[in-house]
Amino acid sequence: MMTFDSATLLQLAIVLPLAGAIAVRLTGGSPNVREAMSLLTSAALCFICYNLYQDFDPQVETKIVLLEILPNLNLSFHIEPLGLLFALMSSFLWFITTIYAIGYMRAHHEENQTRFYQFFAITMATVMGIAFSANLFTLYIFYELLTLSTYPLVTHAGTKNAKRGGRTYLAILFSTSILFLLLAILNTWLLQGSLEFTPGGLLNESSSSMTAIAVLLPLFIFGIGKAAIFPFHRWLPAAMVAPTPVSAMLHAVAVVKGGVFSILKICVYIFGIDLLSALPTTEFLLYLAGISVFFASLVAMRQDNLKKRLAYSTVSQLGYVTIGALLATNMGIIGGAMHMAIHGFGKITLFFCAGAIMVVTHKTQVSQLVGIGRQMPITMTAFLIASLSIIGLPPTAGTWSKWFLMQGSVDTQQWALMVILGISSLMNIFYLLPIALKAFYPPQEEQPQEVKSQKYEAPLPILIAIVVCTAFCFLLFLFPQPLYELAAQIVNMPGTGQGL
Amino acid sequence: MTEQLAILQVVIPLLAAPLCLIISRASLVWAFTLLTNTLCFVISVLLLNQVLDHGPIHYALGGWRAPIGVEYRIDHLGAYMLLIVSSISWVILLAGKTSLAAELKEKKQSLFYVIYLLCLAGMLGIIATGDAFNVFIFIEIAALASYTMIAMGKDRRALTASLSYLLVGTIGATFILLGIGLLYMATGTLNMHDLSERLANLHDSRTVVTAFAFFTVGVCLKLALFPLHWWLPNAYAFAPSVASAFLAATATKVAIYILLRFVFTIFGMEFSFSVLPLQNILLALGLVGILTASTMAIYQQNVKQLLAYSSVAQIAYMMLSLGMNNPNGLIATLLHLFNHALMKGALFLALAAVMYRIGSVQLKHFHGLGKQMPFTMAALVVGGLSLIGVPLTVGFISKWYMLTASLDNGWWPITVIILVGSLLAVVYVWRIVEAAYFKPAPADAKPVKEAPLSLLIPIWMLTLANLYFGIDSRLTVTVSELAAKSLLGGAL
């Protein structure tokens, strides 16, 4: 077996999913071969990302400059801890989602499955591009490509609703990225003459006025519409028209995580923690993220449609990661990065369960789920565990990320934020826990609805996916060290001058 | 031979045009036209190489030296434009045989190629010449040829479109002629280089100011700067598809070239921008043009008209960049000359394929085409993404320079308007996408096959060029920078 060096593996990580997309297209005629292609590609990508993680050495800078698109603006990639974290998480979850999708799409008799798997693979290529981007220019390119490659997935159903959802999706994501993000990138380019992600931050006070830099921060935060910060969050519930595997992967893991990942990366490598804490606009944005967390939780409590409830829950949870980034302390960054991964596992499990419920019982509303625990015990148990992780209670992984985020807000004496985080956890309990509890212990007044179908539990591939992800909610609680260490390395990169 | 290249560039298509009449069969005429165009393309490449190596070329027609004789002067800008026009014309001609066979009768096809070659000769002449009156002659040749080309369209409205274009175009050309005449009156010369020297001392002369005014209005009519654009949508919509593609890709670019040549080389930057309010005019009309034309594009039902309004908006972008009065702005305009030609060439050729298969370009007839003509629609989507300015396409490169130029001046509101223009483009491009991909073909419609290879190959040549030059922009950026430098007189 040939050993590849990190640079080659890096390029392979981006090219492989594209090759997979072509393979899927070519084998579209025979569904089993086609599915095998998806599985093979995603497994290979996991393997590559894992190797990159094993070989990662903070002292050695691995960077590839692919080509120069504009004078002094390169398409280039590098390996650093945050990107590795994101890549590891997404590639693994792509593999799991592919298993899930096989079960779901077939049980649901979905059309255009080749198109679905094909664009899934292309999306993963763009996600890898975002994860490993070495400068803002590359990040922007793959960010826009991600919007475009997920559009066919969001509008998969091809119905009027799908079209409308797709319009909202595209409108909000393009408006924010073209009006704000591109403007922010151009301004950074003009202020600093470079767009490279630098440990310790690219911008510094000496090169340009604090006002100019202070204006850049909100432009970046609002420009990254994929992080669903209020008021640019409406695309997320609108995108729930997509089939559940799409919602699960993209809107709990790839698209929204791409958004908060970009925010984290920009906060750490463009602004730098020190500069961030000194900017006048950071606090305002911090409170805006807090408002986002609070109101999204509020709206989630009122949603009866399960997927919509989960979507608003995601908006709220993404606010946590943004808060972590903007707290501008080591704990905040670590908490934010860990929450990115841990929330991914928890949320994807919840969406998987929602899809399983839909496939087996055709039920989509929370009110219909009373007493369903008897029919689908495994699914609802998983739902319960994943809910605990989202809420942040032991023995699930969510405990750790919540802990670090709370720690971060104590460090910076942001008491209002602490209160918001606490209240939000309470609200999480209110809108998540009853679903699982009522499924198993239907209250006397609400009799279980008629069991419509004779089916008992979801198809096997779906169950495998659900169980694996639930297991991770436990595993990451018991063994958080690898995740913690990787996240800690973000703030410990040579050149940062920070210590833990 | 190489010394005669400059004149051969124009003479070859000019002489080839009547020769077409001798050949009667349409496919042979097409082959002959393609051959002529290939020669033109080769010559333009050789000229560009020559200019890059040795600097501007001066060619005296008939051995008569300037300033009495007519001189052909090809500098970086000229060589660049010659390359654009001849290369895109060649690719469009590749699609010509199949597309025209469906839209014109056999006898008319041969005539079409005659007119096409005349138009090509006219445009190449405009670019190559260094004499002001010679420019007017070629403007008229190209214009008359384009009126005829448009009138040959299948739709009866082609005649009225052509007539209104003729009226407007003649007014424009007359104004240009008046401007040139007034310049002659003030300076006694018609040679561009000589004019630039003599006009340097005449900034106060009322004659010169009037000449500038007439000239500018005339050329703005030709390049369809808002609000002098109303002839364009109909002219592009009802012409034969190959003519639409050719004119959309080249005619307005050549008009912009004339503007650049007169403003920078003849009148001089100082006069045009500092003494006269050209900058304000370009900025104001550019901004309004972008917003209005993009908005009107959203409401069109005929996709050719939709793209025509989009072209008006793109021209407004180019004028806006020019009005920024800084090097990046000028580079952006020059880049967009090439990039927009690629975009619109690809888009209109794709429409030619649609017209070929379903005989209509109304949005309501696009239903189900996403499945039935996947490659053609994919080309439309890529072209549309280029119009929006998505990274990795050619449109992004132009947008980047425009935005940098406007931020160089510190003009935030204008930067935001340029970005809003991109968002409007998303809306009108997505109307086409939704019509093609979201609505199934009506049950009673005949099944539609994908376009034939003879159309798909040229379409995808231009579409892939859109992507290639969006990823590797070295050639276009270097040549644009050199051209900008030579226009600004080395003061970059």
Side-chain angles (χ1 to χ4, degrees):
Chain A
M1 172 74 182
M2 266 169 65
T3 43
F4 297 104
D5 68 327
S6 288
T8 323
L9 280 180
L10 192 51
Q11 286 174 309
L12 215 52
I14 298 168
V15 167
L16 187 67
L18 286 175
I22 299 178
V24 163
R25 177 99 181 146
L26 292 175
T27 56
S30 31
N32 290 331
V33 182
R34 176 189 67 201
E35 262 62 302
M37 289 290 121
S38 285
L39 283 171
L40 268 170
T41 321
S42 51
L45 188 64
C46 277
F47 185 62
I48 292 177
C49 289
Y50 186 67
N51 270 332
L52 282 172
Y53 167 64
Q54 293 287 69
D55 296 340
F56 175 59
D57 179 0
Q59 303 298 328
V60 172
E61 199 201 353
T62 315
K63 186 166 168 177
I64 306 173
V65 177
L66 264 192
L67 34 93
E68 195 181 15
I69 294 189
L70 283 168
N72 294 324
L73 285 170
N74 304 324
L75 190 69
S76 56
F77 303 101
H78 73 172
I79 306 179
E80 48 80 37
L82 188 58
L84 266 179
L85 208 161
F86 183 44
L88 274 170
M89 175 189 101
S90 322
S91 55
F92 180 68
L93 286 172
W94 180 28
F95 180 62
I96 302 290
T97 310
T98 310
I99 299 176
Y100 178 83
I102 293 173
Y104 182 92
M105 301 298 265
R106 290 187 182 196
H108 223 225
H109 306 293
E110 287 274 352
E111 299 186 352
N112 293 320
Q113 290 192 33
T114 309
R115 186 177 77 192
F116 172 82
Y117 288 109
Q118 186 189 311
F119 276 106
F120 229 101
I122 297 177
T123 304
M124 285 317 293
T126 59
V127 167
M128 290 295 127
I130 292 179
F132 292 121
S133 53
N135 57 37
L136 270 174
F137 190 62
T138 314
L139 184 75
Y140 178 70
I141 291 176
F142 283 101
Y143 185 90
E144 297 291 58
L145 288 178
L146 180 61
T147 311
L148 285 171
S149 67
T150 46
Y151 179 77
L153 292 170
V154 170
T155 56
H156 181 89
T159 59
K160 260 210 171 111
N161 258 343
K163 189 169 82 169
R164 225 176 308 142
R167 273 193 196 171
T168 314
Y169 184 73
L170 219 57
I172 298 186
L173 288 183
F174 266 150
S175 309
T176 48
S177 69
I178 292 180
L179 280 178
F180 301 127
L181 185 58
L182 186 56
L183 201 54
I185 293 176
L186 275 163
N187 269 314
T188 314
W189 170 245
L190 287 170
L191 279 178
Q192 197 69 27
S194 158
L195 290 175
E196 300 294 310
F197 288 126
T198 326
L202 170 72
L203 293 168
N204 48 57
E205 299 173 41
S206 56
S207 58
S208 34
S209 71
M210 281 299 261
T211 333
I213 302 179
V215 168
L216 272 185
L217 186 63
L219 276 180
F220 271 117
I221 301 289
F222 287 128
I224 301 179
K226 294 199 172 87
I229 300 293
F230 180 88
F232 300 115
H233 64 286
R234 281 239 70 238
W235 63 268
L236 192 49
M240 292 299 108
V241 297
T244 310
V246 177
S247 306
M249 180 62 181
L250 271 28
H251 306 287
V253 181
V255 171
V256 302
K257 291 300 183 292
V260 290
F261 166 81
S262 305
I263 290 186
L264 276 169
K265 195 146 185 178
I266 290 173
C267 284
V268 175
Y269 295 113
I270 296 285
F271 288 95
I273 299 179
D274 295 326
L275 186 61
L276 210 52
S277 46
L279 285 177
T281 39
T282 315
E283 264 206 291
F284 153 71
L285 289 168
L286 205 48
Y287 289 130
L288 192 64
I291 291 175
S292 193
V293 166
F294 184 73
F295 277 113
S297 300
L298 217 54
V299 177
M301 291 202 294
R302 308 212 40 187
Q303 297 297 315
D304 197 26
N305 182 304
L306 182 58
K307 276 172 76 172
K308 280 246 161 77
R309 185 179 285 207
L310 294 178
Y312 278 103
S313 165
T314 304
V315 175
S316 172
Q317 297 289 315
L318 293 174
Y320 282 41
V321 181
T322 313
I323 288 177
L326 289 173
L327 280 173
T329 62
N330 288 337
M331 281 291 140
I333 301 287
I334 295 175
M338 287 179 76
H339 197 62
M340 193 172 78
I342 292 173
H343 170 253
F345 278 101
K347 212 25 121 9
I348 209 176
T349 314
L350 291 177
F351 271 106
F352 281 168
C353 295
I357 293 171
M358 178 128 103
V359 161
V360 175
T361 63
H362 302 291
K363 292 188 181 159
T364 55
Q365 309 297 101
V366 171
S367 46
Q368 298 171 318
L369 300 181
V370 179
I372 205 174
R374 247 194 304 157
Q375 193 181 355
M376 307 181 71
I378 304 179
T379 309
M380 292 320 289
T381 315
F383 196 96
L384 178 64
I385 296 171
S387 306
L388 288 177
S389 187
I390 299 287
I391 296 167
L393 291 171
T396 57
T399 321
W400 297 124
S401 49
K402 273 265 164 72
W403 173 261
F404 286 117
L405 285 172
M406 288 285 212
Q407 182 100 37
S409 50
V410 166
D411 281 346
T412 48
Q413 302 187 325
Q414 295 280 5
W415 310 118
L417 273 181
M418 249 195 80
V419 170
I420 290 184
L421 287 180
I423 295 183
S424 161
S425 296
L426 275 176
M427 290 201 272
N428 287 354
I429 296 179
F430 274 122
Y431 66 69
L432 280 179
L433 229 35
I435 303 178
L437 292 178
K438 278 195 189 166
F440 285 114
Y441 304 109
Q444 284 295 47
E445 324 82 69
E446 300 168 43
Q447 283 308 310
Q449 314 230 323
E450 270 300 313
V451 174
K452 286 221 174 75
S453 71
Q454 291 302 316
K455 286 191 238 162
Y456 179 77
E457 265 307 356
L460 188 62
I462 295 184
L463 279 181
I464 296 177
I466 292 179
V467 168
V468 169
C469 287
T470 319
F472 264 85
C473 292
F474 273 132
L475 284 173
L476 284 173
F477 173 75
L478 294 171
F479 308 108
Q481 293 91 340
L483 182 58
Y484 176 77
E485 274 158 20
L486 189 54
Q489 278 183 344
I490 301 171
V491 292
N492 271 341
M493 287 283 277
T496 320
Q498 299 271 346
L500 232 195
Chain B
M1 189 56 144
T2 41
E3 312 93 59
Q4 313 293 335
L5 279 179
I7 190 61
L8 280 177
Q9 175 82 97
V10 183
V11 157
I12 288 183
L14 200 58
L15 287 182
L19 283 180
C20 284
L21 287 171
I22 303 180
I23 317 168
S24 56
R25 277 192 49 201
S27 46
L28 284 178
V29 180
W30 170 75
F32 180 66
T33 315
L34 196 62
L35 178 66
T36 316
N37 206 331
T38 318
L39 284 172
C40 291
F41 175 59
V42 168
I43 295 177
S44 69
V45 171
L46 291 171
L47 281 171
L48 183 61
N49 273 331
Q50 228 180 331
V51 170
L52 285 175
D53 289 336
H54 305 295
I57 302 172
H58 309 293
Y59 177 86
L61 214 63
W64 298 94
R65 297 287 224 80
I68 308 292
V70 173
E71 184 191 32
Y72 275 37
R73 194 169 242 273
I74 302 181
D75 62 355
H76 289 100
L77 179 62
Y80 177 55
M81 289 292 308
L82 286 173
L83 184 67
I84 296 174
V85 173
S86 55
S87 57
I88 300 210
S89 164
W90 186 82
V91 179
I92 292 176
L93 258 186
L94 277 181
K97 185 158 87 130
T98 324
S99 173
L100 281 177
E103 294 185 26
L104 294 179
K105 296 200 199 41
E106 169 104 15
K107 269 193 305 186
K108 282 236 177 115
Q109 286 174 50
S110 322
L111 290 176
F112 181 87
Y113 290 116
V114 175
I115 303 296
Y116 188 95
L117 281 172
L118 282 175
C119 196
L120 182 63
M123 290 202 219
L124 293 173
I126 294 174
I127 303 169
T129 188
D131 180 284
F133 187 65
N134 213 230
V135 160
F136 172 73
I137 295 179
F138 282 114
I139 290 177
E140 283 292 277
I141 294 178
L144 287 168
S146 19
Y147 308 149
T148 320
M149 264 203 288
I150 295 172
M152 288 172 111
K154 217 166 42 166
D155 194 312
R156 270 171 51 183
R157 288 169 289 185
L159 288 174
T160 29
S162 171
L163 188 64
S164 63
Y165 184 21
L166 183 145
L167 290 172
V168 171
T170 312
I171 298 176
T174 314
F175 275 25
I176 295 177
L177 183 62
L178 280 170
I180 296 174
L182 286 168
L183 280 179
Y184 181 63
M185 211 166 83
T187 59
T189 174
L190 285 170
N191 178 285
M192 290 187 188
H193 182 71
D194 213 24
L195 273 171
S196 69
E197 286 180 350
R198 297 193 196 193
L199 282 173
N201 307 322
L202 288 172
H203 286 186
D204 300 335
S205 155
R206 253 213 296 227
T207 318
V208 172
V209 173
T210 321
F212 189 88
F214 268 116
F215 168 77
T216 313
V217 176
V219 93
C220 287
L221 271 169
K222 285 261 166 210
L223 55 86
L225 177 63
F226 184 91
L228 304 169
H229 67 286
W230 74 87
W231 56 267
L232 195 144
N234 285 341
Y236 285 12
F238 303 121
S241 304
V242 167
S244 308
F246 180 57
L247 291 174
T250 55
T252 40
K253 318 290 169 300
V254 174
I256 296 178
Y257 165 84
I258 303 171
L259 180 69
L260 288 172
R261 183 59 74 203
F262 271 71
V263 162
F264 284 98
T265 312
I266 299 182
F267 287 103
M269 212 176 102
E270 202 197 296
F271 179 64
S272 317
F273 283 96
S274 316
V275 175
L276 290 182
L278 182 64
Q279 180 173 15
N280 295 336
I281 297 173
L282 289 177
L283 284 175
L285 292 180
L287 284 172
V288 178
I290 294 172
L291 295 174
T292 322
S294 301
T295 316
M296 291 182 77
I298 298 175
Y299 291 102
Q300 299 304 312
Q301 285 302 318
N302 180 320
V303 182
K304 273 194 187 174
Q305 279 185 327
L306 193 156
L307 290 180
Y309 276 105
S310 164
S311 293
V312 175
Q314 299 293 322
I315 291 163
Y317 271 117
M318 288 189 249
M319 292 295 106
L320 180 68
S321 296
L322 197 57
M324 301 210 192
N325 199 8
N326 67 37
N328 269 332
L330 184 54
I331 296 176
T333 308
L334 294 173
L335 270 176
H336 210 49
L337 283 176
F338 180 63
N339 296 340
H340 184 238
L342 279 181
M343 287 185 232
K344 281 294 158 48
L347 284 167
F348 273 99
L349 270 189
L351 281 185
V354 171
M355 180 68 123
Y356 179 77
R357 280 298 187 206
I358 64 175
S360 151
V361 280
Q362 295 288 336
L363 258 185
K364 59 177 184 250
H365 295 143
F366 268 58
H367 299 329
L369 281 187
K371 268 210 158 77
Q372 293 169 316
M373 298 181 77
F375 287 104
T376 315
M377 287 299 131
L380 267 176
V381 172
V382 173
L385 292 178
S386 205
L387 277 177
I388 296 170
V390 166
L392 296 188
T393 61
V394 118
F396 178 68
I397 309 282
S398 316
K399 277 271 157 65
W400 180 271
Y401 272 94
M402 277 186 225
L403 292 166
T404 325
S406 123
L407 283 175
D408 273 346
N409 283 352
W411 292 338
W412 281 68
I414 292 191
T415 315
V416 172
I417 293 185
I418 297 178
L419 294 171
V420 170
S422 283
L423 291 179
L424 289 172
V426 174
V427 181
Y428 63 69
V429 168
W430 235 254
R431 285 199 76 207
I432 307 178
V433 168
E434 286 183 353
Y437 288 97
F438 280 93
K439 301 211 173 83
D444 55 349
K446 283 188 308 201
V448 176
K449 280 190 298 183
E450 177 57 273
L453 267 183
S454 55
L455 287 178
L456 275 184
I457 291 182
I459 294 174
W460 274 93
M461 279 174 83
L462 285 177
T463 312
L464 287 173
N466 251 298
L467 293 172
Y468 176 75
F469 287 107
I471 297 177
D472 181 8
S473 61
R474 277 172 304 181
L475 174 66
T476 43
V477 170
T478 318
V479 178
S480 302
E481 282 179 352
L482 286 171
K485 217 189 273 203
S486 73
L487 279 178
L488 293 172
L492 238 189

